Amino acid sequence: MGTVQLEIIHERPSQRLHYRVTAPMRVTLGEQTVDAVDWGLGGCRISGLSGDQPDIGSQHTLFCTLPFQGFNITLKAEAEVVRRHDDTNQLAFRFTDLGDRETALMQHFVEDLVRGKMTDVADTIVRIDTPVTPVPVKPDPNPATDIPVRRWPVRQIVMSCFYLVLGAVVFGYVGVYAFATLFRLEIQSAVISAQRMEISAPFNGRLLELNHRQGTHAVAGALIAVMADTGHNANLQRVRSDLAKTRAELAETTVMLEEEERRSKGYELVARNNVRQAESQLSGLALARDNALLKLERVRGLAAKGLVRADDVEAAELEVRSVVSDLERKKIHIEELKELIDGGASVRLFTGNSFAGRTAELKAKVARLTALQDHYAHLETELAGKDTDQKILAPFNGRVVETLVASGNILKQGEPLLVLEETGAETVTAFLTQEEAAQVRIGSPANLFLPTENRWISVEVAAIDRTAGFVDEVTETHRFRAPDARSAKVTLAPVSGALPASGTPATVYFQRYRNNLVFRTAQQIFEAI
C-alpha cells in the first residue's frame, strides 16, 4: 500500500480573522489626516475625506498614528482600496505591505486592548525598537597567538608627530597673526595715483590735428595738437582800422596845433599891447597922485588959516589914498601881464574868464596819438607776419587719459582738449582713519602688495595729510566726518621697483607706531630678534 502525500497549501488568513478595534488612530492619506472608524492587523476603515475619492484597487501609502500615554507612534503601511461607500464617505483599506516592526507593534496594541491589559511606556518603546548587538560569525583574522610579544607603536608615533607638526603650525600662525595685529597696520584702501593736467585751447580757433588718442603716450615737448586761429584775420583788420583812425586823428590834431601856434603869436602881441597900455595908464596915475598930494597940501594950508573947513581936508586926503591905490593895482596888473607873457603860449592872454590858447593840450594829444600810431603799426607788423597755425606741445612725459574733442571742432579759448597724466612719477595714495594716521610716521618703511600683478614693492611714507578728507571738493569748505571715516591721506613713494599705471588697487602694510611704552618696548625687542 503506497504512501499518500498530502499537499498542504498555506493560504493567507482572512482579514476577518484579525481583531477589529475602534481605538483612536489617525490616518494620513496624501495631505489629509482623518480618524479611523476601526482598524486591525489586516487594514483599516476611514471616513471624512474631502475631494475626489480614490478608486477601488488603487495603491496608497498610509501613515497611521497611535496615541499612547501622551506619545504619538506613527507607522507606515502600503494599502489597497477594497471598498468605498459614497453615501457615508467611508473607505476600506487592506494592508498590502506592513513591516515586521509595524506588525508586531500593532499586534501588541490589539492584544492588550482585547485582553484589557495595561502596559507601561517603557515596555511599548522596547517593542518598538529592540536593540540588537551584532556578533561576528567569521573567525578573527589576527588571533592573539599571532600577535608578537613586542612591536613598534607605529600608529602612536605617527599620530604624535602629526599633532606636533599641527601644533607648531597653529601656534606659529597665531604668533604671526598676533605680531601683525599688534605691530603692523594693513590698509587695503590704497591706489596708485599720478598728476593729471587738462590741456586747453590757448585761443579761439579750429582744431586742425590731434595726434594722440586715449591710452597713447607722449614725451615732453612732443606735438599734441595743431590749432588754426580763426580770429587772426579779424584781429588784423581791426588793428588796421584802428591804425587808420589814429593816423587821421593825428593829422587833424597836427593841423589844429599849427593853427594854434599861429594864434599864440597873435595872443603874444595882444598881451604885450596890454602891457604897454597898462604902463601908459600907470604914468597918468602917477601924475594924478602928484596932483592929489599938491592939492592936499594947499587945502591943509588954507585950513590952517581958517579959510576952509575940516571936511575939505578929509576929502583931499581920501582922494590921495584912492589915487595911490589905483596906482598900486596898476603896477601889480603890469607885473602879472609880464609873468603871463614869460609863462608860455598857453597863458599869455587872459580874457577875464579863461586863458586863450590850447598849444600845450594839442601838443600832448599829438604825442599820445603818435605813440598809439606806433603801437598799432607794431601790432600790424606782428599779425601780418604771424603764422595762423599754432602747435600745442606736451608739458611732461605722460599718458593720454581722455580726449574731449575731435579734429575739425571749433573751440573757444580755455576749452579742454584732452587730459594728460604724468608717467614715471606715480605715487601711492592710502586712505586711513584718524586713529590709524596717528600710528604712521613720515619716512617709515612699508610694504606694498599689488594683487593684480602678485608682486611686492618696498615703499616709504612721504607725506601725511590728516585734513584732506574734511574739505568738500565742490564748496571748498570743511565738513564733518565720522571718526571711522577714512579722512586722512597718506602718500608713499617707491624705494625699489617700478609702480604700475595709476588706478591700480594696492594693499599697504605699515609699521605701526604706538604711543604706549609697553608696545614700543615689545616692538623694539621683536625687531631686534
Side-chain angles (χ1 to χ4, degrees), residues 215-421:
T216 59
H217 291 266
V219 297
L223 180 64
I224 294 180
V226 178
M227 286 190 63
D229 189 0
T230 55
H232 177 268
N233 294 331
N235 293 335
L236 182 59
Q237 294 298 329
R238 184 171 58 254
V239 169
R240 287 176 177 176
S241 176
D242 293 340
L243 178 59
K245 182 179 178 180
T246 303
R247 287 175 176 174
E249 188 175 358
L250 177 60
E252 180 182 358
T253 306
T254 303
V255 173
M256 294 176 61
L257 177 60
E258 293 175 355
E259 181 65 23
E260 189 65 25
E261 289 177 348
R262 287 192 294 269
R263 290 181 181 179
S264 64
K265 294 180 180 180
Y267 296 152
E268 182 181 4
L269 179 60
V270 173
R272 295 188 182 279
N273 289 336
N274 291 337
V275 171
R276 286 193 291 269
Q277 291 178 3
E279 289 177 349
S280 62
Q281 293 176 359
L282 182 64
S283 301
L285 290 174
L287 294 175
R289 180 197 60 187
D290 296 339
N291 292 332
L293 290 174
L294 292 175
K295 182 179 179 181
L296 178 59
E297 291 177 359
R298 287 195 301 270
V299 171
R300 286 178 179 175
L302 294 175
K305 295 178 180 179
L307 298 177
V308 293
R309 296 177 299 178
D311 295 339
D312 296 334
V313 176
E314 292 176 358
E317 291 177 352
L318 181 60
E319 183 179 1
V320 171
R321 292 192 184 96
S322 177
V323 173
V324 172
S325 176
D326 293 340
L327 179 61
E328 293 299 327
R329 284 201 303 271
K330 185 59 67 174
K331 289 181 180 180
I332 295 173
H333 181 60
I334 292 172
E335 293 296 330
E336 290 177 352
L337 291 177
K338 290 181 179 181
E339 290 180 1
L340 290 176
I341 292 173
D342 298 335
S346 299
V347 294
R348 286 175 178 171
L349 180 62
F350 184 72
T351 61
N353 296 323
S354 61
F355 292 99
R358 299 173 53 200
T359 304
E361 178 184 353
L362 293 176
K363 286 183 178 180
K365 188 175 181 180
V366 168
R368 180 177 63 83
L369 292 175
T370 302
L372 190 60
Q373 175 184 341
D374 296 340
H375 173 68
Y376 284 140
H378 180 67
L379 287 179
E380 181 187 15
T381 304
E382 286 186 352
L383 291 176
K386 183 180 180 182
D387 188 5
T388 58
D389 296 344
Q390 183 171 347
K391 298 179 181 180
I392 302 176
L393 306 179
F396 46 74
N397 297 337
R399 178 176 61 91
V400 177
V401 178
E402 183 181 5
T403 56
L404 305 175
V405 293
S407 299
N409 290 2
I410 301 297
L411 304 176
K412 295 182 179 179
Q413 184 177 2
E415 188 171 350
L417 300 176
L418 50 83
V419 178
L420 188 64
E421 180 182 83

Side-chain angles (χ1 to χ4, degrees), residues 77-104:
E78 300 293 333
E80 178 186 357
V81 179
V82 295
R83 292 191 308 277
R84 187 174 71 181
H85 303 282
D86 294 335
D87 52 349
T88 60
N89 194 17
Q90 293 183 356
L91 288 173
F93 290 90
R94 178 173 59 87
F95 295 144
T96 59
D97 185 7
L98 189 63
D100 295 338
R101 172 179 173 273
E102 288 80 3
T103 303

Side-chain angles (χ1 to χ4, degrees), residues 47 90 115 161 176 194 278 310 312 407 424 462-463 513 527:
S47 64
Q90 293 183 356
R115 297 173 183 175
C161 294
V176 172
D312 296 334
S407 299
Y513 294 88
E527 290 178 353

Side-chain angles (χ1 to χ4, degrees), residues 59-90:
Q59 295 287 334
H60 299 278
T61 300
L62 302 180
F63 293 92
C64 303
T65 303
L66 295 172
F68 179 76
Q69 295 187 6
F71 293 91
N72 290 329
I73 303 173
T74 302
L75 309 174
K76 180 181 179 182
E78 300 293 333
E80 178 186 357
V81 179
V82 295
R83 292 191 308 277
R84 187 174 71 181
H85 303 282
D86 294 335
D87 52 349
T88 60
N89 194 17
Q90 293 183 356

Side-chain angles (χ1 to χ4, degrees), residues 359-514:
T359 304
E361 178 184 353
L362 293 176
K363 286 183 178 180
K365 188 175 181 180
V366 168
R368 180 177 63 83
L369 292 175
T370 302
L372 190 60
Q373 175 184 341
D374 296 340
H375 173 68
Y376 284 140
H378 180 67
L379 287 179
E380 181 187 15
T381 304
E382 286 186 352
L383 291 176
K386 183 180 180 182
D387 188 5
T388 58
D389 296 344
Q390 183 171 347
K391 298 179 181 180
I392 302 176
L393 306 179
F396 46 74
N397 297 337
R399 178 176 61 91
V400 177
V401 178
E402 183 181 5
T403 56
L404 305 175
V405 293
S407 299
N409 290 2
I410 301 297
L411 304 176
K412 295 182 179 179
Q413 184 177 2
E415 188 171 350
L417 300 176
L418 50 83
V419 178
L420 188 64
E421 180 182 83
E422 187 176 6
T423 56
E426 292 84 0
T427 57
V428 182
T429 302
F431 299 93
L432 284 68
T433 63
Q434 295 296 322
E435 181 181 0
E436 294 172 343
Q439 301 174 2
V440 178
R441 299 291 183 268
I442 295 178
S444 62
N447 294 322
L448 178 70
F449 177 68
L450 301 173
T452 57
E453 302 181 5
N454 193 24
R455 65 186 179 100
W456 292 84
I457 297 177
S458 298
V459 293
E460 185 180 35
V461 178
I464 301 175
D465 189 352
R466 301 185 62 178
T467 61
F470 291 92
V471 180
D472 190 278
E473 296 179 356
V474 178
T475 60
E476 296 184 356
T477 57
H478 286 76
R479 58 181 176 177
F480 170 77
R481 296 296 299 272
D484 58 346
R486 298 192 174 277
S487 55
K489 184 174 71 173
V490 178
T491 303
L492 302 99
V495 177
S496 63
L499 294 177
S502 65
T504 304
T507 302
V508 183
Y509 295 88
F510 293 94
Q511 286 191 2
R512 189 191 294 265
Y513 294 88
R514 296 181 179 271

